[in-house]
């Protein structure tokens, strides 16, 4: 049985465990309960499936999983839009997946680089597949305290570099969302060996990653408020927004937005002047 069928079963189990009968709008089946969440039989009834069919799904023994079954379970489990996409990806037949063979090195999209030049007043980061850094501006390096070199892994820095935890005040909130995004990407690219190896490396290197991974949470480029403790400029607050370009959906521009006339907005020009001597990290070839 494919590994993603087991992943689908684990995800369904985690969502079933968090939904009580009262939240699902049904009367609990009689008998003792070991957990507060729905029983398999209760979820099967809600989704219009036989208990045996649902048990095979959760145990990873169901070879074919139709879109209709995924939709019924997603509705019964009250999944949000991102959560609904995840089991749909895991249930997709092999023929609908991309071949994940050798691929050319990622190059930053020229349109995204041009957009970055209009955003020099705020920190900006261009990420590719597996959170690989494709480009960044000087202000981002000044804010985060590290040069985001093209080709480096942003999530490796986030989880394996102690400076990331020291610099990002609400590191746990931001990092948990990053793990959820990794899970979402693994569902979309189940045959990507490099992505799977990256996840295993992070799980082995950080117990927080292991704990959040087991939680089965999925996220997708969510807006997150980031609090940064800058050793010279003091506390900084950013709203993190992600933009996907029209030519390559695997690339996303991460923009650190600020409230107008906020303390962070007022200090950024000063940080920008300090960062003028920092080498440009705008792309692999050094040009914008």
């Amino acid at each position: 049985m494919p590994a993603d069928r087991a992943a689908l079963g684990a995800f369904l189990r985690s969502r079933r465990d968090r939904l009580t009968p009262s939240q699902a709008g049904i009367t609990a089946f009689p008998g003792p309960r070991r957990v507060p969440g729905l029983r398999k039989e209760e979820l099967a009834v809600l989704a219009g499936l036989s208990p045996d069919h649902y048990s095979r799904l959760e145990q990873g023994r169901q070879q074919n999983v139709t879109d209709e079954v995924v939709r019924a379970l997603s509705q019964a489990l009250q999944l949000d839009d991102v959560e609904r996409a995840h089991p749909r990806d895991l249930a997709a037949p092999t023929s609908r997946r991309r071949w994940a063979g050798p691929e050319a090195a990622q190059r930053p999209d020229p349109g995204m680089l041009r957009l970055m030049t209009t955003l020099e007043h705020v920190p900006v980061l261009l990420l590719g597949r597996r959170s690989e850094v494709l480009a960044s501006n000087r202000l981002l390096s000044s804010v985060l305290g590290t040069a985001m070199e093209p080709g480096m892994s942003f999530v490796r820095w986030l989880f394996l570099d102690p400076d990331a935890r020291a610099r990002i005040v609400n590191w746990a909130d931001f990092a948990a969302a990053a793990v959820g995004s990794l899970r979402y990407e693994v569902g979309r690219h189940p045959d990507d060996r490099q992505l799977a190896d990256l996840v295993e490396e992070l799980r082995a290197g950080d117990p927080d990653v292991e704990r959040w991974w087991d939680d089965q949470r999925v996220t997708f480029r969510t807006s997150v408020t980031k609090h940064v403790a800058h050793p010279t400029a003091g506390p900084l607050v950013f709203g993190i927004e992600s933009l996907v370009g029209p030519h390559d959906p695997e690339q996303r521009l991460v923009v650190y937005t600020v409230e107008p006339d906020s303390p962070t907005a007022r200090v950024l020009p000063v940080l920008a002047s300090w960062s003028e001597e920092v080498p440009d990290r705008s792309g692999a070839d050094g040009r914008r």
Side-chain angles (χ1 to χ4, degrees), residues 166-232:
R167 186 64 67 111
I168 304 173
V169 176
N170 60 331
W171 179 89
D173 295 336
F174 194 77
V179 172
S181 182
L182 280 174
R183 178 175 290 283
Y184 183 85
E185 291 301 321
V186 167
R188 293 179 63 237
H189 304 286
D191 299 321
D192 187 332
R193 188 66 254 170
Q194 289 179 264
L195 179 59
D197 290 344
L198 173 62
V199 170
E200 289 307 308
E201 175 190 351
L202 296 177
R203 292 175 68 184
D206 190 320
D208 286 320
V209 177
E210 179 73 4
R211 174 168 55 87
W212 288 323
W213 188 262
D214 290 342
D215 186 51
Q216 298 284 331
R217 178 188 179 193
V218 289
T219 58
F220 179 65
R221 296 167 185 165
T222 53
S223 298
V224 181
T225 299
K226 178 181 283 188
H227 296 264
V228 173
H230 195 280
T232 306

Side-chain angles (χ1 to χ4, degrees), residues 121-158:
H121 58 291
V122 293
V124 187
L125 175 69
L126 181 63
L127 296 177
R129 286 283 301 278
R130 313 176 196 98
S131 294
E132 178 182 340
V133 175
L134 301 180
S136 65
N137 64 6
R138 295 184 179 95
L139 194 49
L140 180 88
S141 298
S142 180
V143 166
L144 296 184
T146 188
M148 290 292 163
E149 299 279 1
M152 72 176 282
S153 169
F154 183 80
V155 290
R156 279 196 182 96
W157 171 79
L158 182 65

